[in-house]
Amino acid sequence: MSVLIKGGRIVTAADDYVGDVFVDNGTVAMLGQSLDVAADRTIDATGKYVIPGAIDPHTHLEMFFGGTTTCDDFTSGTTSAAFGGTTTLIDFCMQTPGDTFPQALEKYFEKIERAKPVIDVGFHIGVTDLHTGGTLEDLAKLPDEGVTSYKLFMAYKGAVMVDDETLFKTMQTASETGALVMVHAENGDAIDIIVKKAVADGHTEPIWHARTRPPETEGEATNRAIQLAHVAGAPLYVVHVSCKDSIDPIAYAREKGWNTYGETCTQYLFVDESALDQPGFEGAKYIYTPPPRPKEHQEHLWHALHADVLSVVSTDHCPFKWPEQKGINGEAFNVVPNGGPGIENRLHMLHHFGVREGRLTLNRFVELTSTNVAKYFGLYPRKGTIAPGSDADIVVWDPEKRLTISAQTHHSNVNYNLFEGTEVVGAPDVVLVRGQVIVESDELVAQPGAGQFVKRARFGEELLAREAVPA
Ligand SMILES: [Zn+2]
């Protein structure tokens, strides 16, 4: 199957020109102007952008958490992602305490077998326990399986939080195996004390979710993780940075040239603390962690994206239904499962409020949502760019298409949307994964199973084009 995408404005992290892309057998075969080549299918991209498919390195599909399971499986979650222009996601394979790492991985392979993805999928391993099931020896073997990032939680005491010993030992292992360490950076011990006191004092409304997790507790943990990773010699990726307190230590480390990277998520750029403060218990829809911050932090986040202190925007899609999952324990904020949806609208929001409003260049938009993710997580240059030999994961983006974001029309199973009613201009027209059209004219045209598991390269290594790898 070959596809010729004609006359589009081809935009990568580095390039921006009008041309044609010839796709053959799943990969980009040729780039040029007015290519005269026969193809099974021709797509007219005149007036459209032709960009690398976006990669979301932060999703939680079919994950058991907070006493319930996120409401998107790998079919519905990847379908929703595809409609937003995302062609690969990397989900967190969480170790249930007591399980070995091979057992944890096996359970996630069963999930993508049972609910097959429509886009490509990779896994990070979520390290929660090195005492009863998980061993450093098993952890060290995972990069051979293409699982090349270790995620640890410095928060959620009594659930998935790890102590500094587990954190540091994992970092040391990563420095030997070439894995990237990812941290959820918040001081879980301090937050636990503050939460218990607030609840004992009768403060149970959703706004107290933010009041009990002050920005300093995120800043402290971010700095601790950065310093420890530096001592261990491991590269570090700080997920969902929400505030200036966490940006500052990342800026410090990057100025020193350390292998430190920071991610924020769409919601932190657009939703502020006041969303939690609504009549009834409705603010619980916005109980995700870190919490939405006071509005002034948003400008710091935009600036950090501009200054390359933060270099990825992900979604942290962790969907629970309202009210049946998020409102069920309406009496207290601290028993609401933490997490918010957003897998479909990352590019919509960043294109409209970032590119169109002059905060991001088109190249930077691609870099933040695709290229940098591919580079940090061992997918580049097979993914994250449009170049000869790379996978033909391509979005034909219509910069003039109008969309009103709504839970009525999004494709996730979740029944609310953090950006409900927001009108944006710019949306995908055609989405291809390895040369196969997945979404076209607002219809899913692929079957579950179109997506595959991707084995990723180690940090700093390249994932070569499939043709370049011996079979
Ligand atoms: Zn998360």
Side-chain angles (χ1 to χ4, degrees):
M1 172 79 185
S2 58
V3 182
L4 181 62
I5 304 170
K6 279 196 81 66
R9 182 172 162 189
I10 301 167
V11 180
T12 66
D15 307 307
D16 188 345
Y17 56 93
V18 172
D20 303 343
V21 184
F22 180 62
V23 171
D24 195 20
N25 200 19
T27 59
V28 174
M30 217 185 326
L31 296 165
Q33 262 154 356
S34 311
L35 291 180
D36 185 17
V37 53
D40 298 324
R41 164 92 202 264
T42 299
I43 296 170
D44 180 7
T46 309
K48 317 273 168 70
Y49 304 152
V50 178
I51 58 177
I55 307 171
D56 192 341
H58 194 153
T59 62
H60 302 276
L61 302 178
E62 204 190 320
M63 180 185 69
F64 185 76
F65 188 64
T68 184
T69 301
T70 56
C71 65
D72 275 319
D73 61 18
F74 279 88
T75 301
S76 68
T78 58
T79 298
S80 186
F83 276 94
T86 294
T87 55
T88 303
L89 60 81
I90 315 173
D91 198 85
F92 292 100
C93 165
M94 294 298 294
Q95 175 203 21
T96 306
D99 276 2
T100 65
F101 294 119
Q103 284 168 337
L105 213 48
E106 191 51 43
K107 286 183 182 172
Y108 269 73
F109 279 119
E110 281 167 18
K111 290 182 189 194
I112 59 173
E113 195 48 49
R114 205 172 52 244
K116 293 184 167 65
V118 302
I119 66 171
D120 285 355
V121 167
F123 293 136
H124 316 284
I125 194 83
V127 179
T128 62
D129 163 45
L130 286 178
H131 299 292
T132 58
T135 65
L136 293 171
E137 291 70 30
D138 280 347
L139 199 55
K141 290 179 195 147
L142 293 179
D144 294 333
E145 312 290 318
V147 175
T148 55
S149 34
Y150 307 151
K151 160 84 178 284
L152 302 105
F153 291 83
M154 300 167 78
Y156 299 128
K157 188 171 183 175
V160 293
M161 176 172 139
V162 297
D163 55 19
D164 285 353
E165 181 185 344
T166 296
L167 176 64
F168 190 67
K169 282 181 172 169
T170 302
M171 288 171 166
Q172 287 181 315
T173 300
S175 80
E176 287 157 17
T177 62
L180 176 63
V181 175
M182 308 170 75
V183 286
H184 171 135
E186 282 185 307
N187 189 314
D189 283 314
I191 287 168
D192 189 56
I193 293 167
I194 302 168
V195 167
K196 282 182 177 149
K197 171 144 191 348
V199 173
D201 290 348
H203 299 308
T204 55
E205 303 84 0
I207 185 63
W208 285 87
H209 175 62
R211 292 183 184 155
T212 54
R213 309 180 90 94
E216 293 88 339
T217 57
E218 185 184 332
E220 182 280 326
T222 300
N223 184 54
R224 183 166 22 120
I226 289 171
Q227 301 293 341
L228 292 178
H230 184 62
V231 173
L236 180 75
Y237 180 95
V238 183
V239 302
H240 53 45
V241 171
S242 72
C243 59
K244 181 172 190 308
D245 307 68
S246 187
I247 291 170
D248 287 345
I250 295 170
Y252 172 87
R254 287 176 68 76
E255 225 171 81
K256 290 204 170 252
W258 298 358
N259 275 329
T260 304
Y261 306 92
E263 160 201 282
T264 190
C265 313
T266 326
Q267 57 272 29
Y268 296 110
L269 296 166
F270 299 104
V271 178
D272 70 69
E273 194 181 67
S274 63
L276 287 161
D277 205 2
Q278 295 190 33
F281 206 63
E282 194 136 347
K285 289 175 178 174
Y286 301 89
I287 293 185
Y288 45 76
T289 302
R293 299 297 188 187
K295 202 167 179 57
E296 62 264 24
H297 289 279
Q298 293 175 2
E299 276 316 305
H300 291 290
L301 292 171
W302 281 111
H303 180 260
L305 289 173
H306 182 73
D308 203 33
V309 170
L310 298 178
S311 41
V312 169
V313 181
S314 74
T315 68
D316 195 4
H317 180 74
C318 188
F320 298 107
K321 289 188 179 177
W322 168 268
E324 47 268 58
Q325 290 182 292
K326 289 197 80 80
I328 201 159
N329 296 307
E331 67 281 358
F333 72 90
N334 64 320
V335 288
V336 174
N338 281 205
I343 202 166
E344 189 163 328
N345 303 121
R346 175 176 56 142
L347 269 60
H348 298 136
M349 295 294 284
L350 283 179
H351 174 264
H352 185 96
F353 296 100
V355 176
R356 284 179 61 96
E357 297 197 349
R359 289 181 168 117
L360 302 172
T361 64
L362 263 178
N363 298 112
R364 184 65 175 160
F365 167 66
V366 170
E367 192 168 50
L368 290 171
T369 55
S370 179
T371 314
N372 281 348
V373 186
K375 287 180 176 171
Y376 303 157
F377 291 97
L379 291 165
Y380 191 83
R382 191 183 299 181
K383 297 184 184 294
T385 190
I386 298 174
S390 65
D391 282 358
D393 297 351
I394 294 174
V395 176
V396 179
W397 180 272
D398 182 349
E400 298 302 331
K401 190 162 162 179
R402 289 176 180 274
L403 175 77
T404 303
I405 294 174
S406 173
Q408 304 300 317
T409 48
H410 72 199
H411 301 82
S412 161
N413 285 340
V414 78
N415 56 359
Y416 73 99
N417 192 302
L418 296 179
F419 315 115
E420 185 68 36
T422 305
E423 293 177 12
V424 295
V425 180
D429 216 16
V430 187
V431 178
L432 300 95
V433 174
R434 283 175 284 99
Q436 184 186 351
V437 175
I438 300 291
V439 170
E440 184 169 21
S441 307
D442 299 320
E443 296 290 337
L444 182 73
V445 294
Q447 295 299 316
Q452 298 175 350
F453 174 73
V454 199
K455 282 188 170 191
R456 294 177 291 120
R458 287 169 165 77
F459 180 80
E461 292 182 359
E462 294 199 326
L463 187 70
L464 297 175
R466 285 176 291 142
E467 296 87 342
V469 180

